[in-house]
Amino acid sequence: MSVVVIGASGDLAKKKTYPALFGLFQRGMLPEGLRIVGYARSKKTNKELRDMIRPYLKKSSPDKDEKIEAFLTR
């Protein structure tokens, strides 16, 4: 099962979509094998995209670094 984020590197995705998905992940509401796939016009590596998203996840959960890393591997 996959969730596809269109406009993955955009403002809406990093401020709303990823934090919302992370909230579901923290509550155990995402299926175990779920993959989050992003599509964007901008060329970013996986690492660049994860580094861009990480600060927005930390705002919603500043003391959960291990959870953030587990989420970003999806």
Side-chain angles (χ1 to χ4, degrees), residues 1-41:
M1 183 179 292
S2 298
V3 170
V4 179
V5 179
I6 306 296
S9 62
D11 203 44
L12 179 65
K14 67 184 176 188
K15 289 183 178 177
K16 299 292 182 183
T17 305
Y18 295 119
L21 287 169
F22 181 59
L24 293 173
F25 175 76
Q26 283 183 295
R27 292 175 187 83
M29 297 178 75
L30 295 181
E32 192 65 32
L34 180 82
R35 289 285 175 220
I36 300 169
V37 179
Y39 176 80
R41 290 185 302 163

Side-chain angles (χ1 to χ4, degrees), residues 47-64:
K47 183 182 179 336
E48 290 171 334
L49 182 63
R50 290 174 183 163
D51 290 344
M52 182 187 76
I53 295 167
R54 191 174 283 109
Y56 294 93
L57 301 179
K58 286 188 178 194
K59 286 180 184 178
S60 64
S61 182
D63 59 340
K64 307 276 193 226

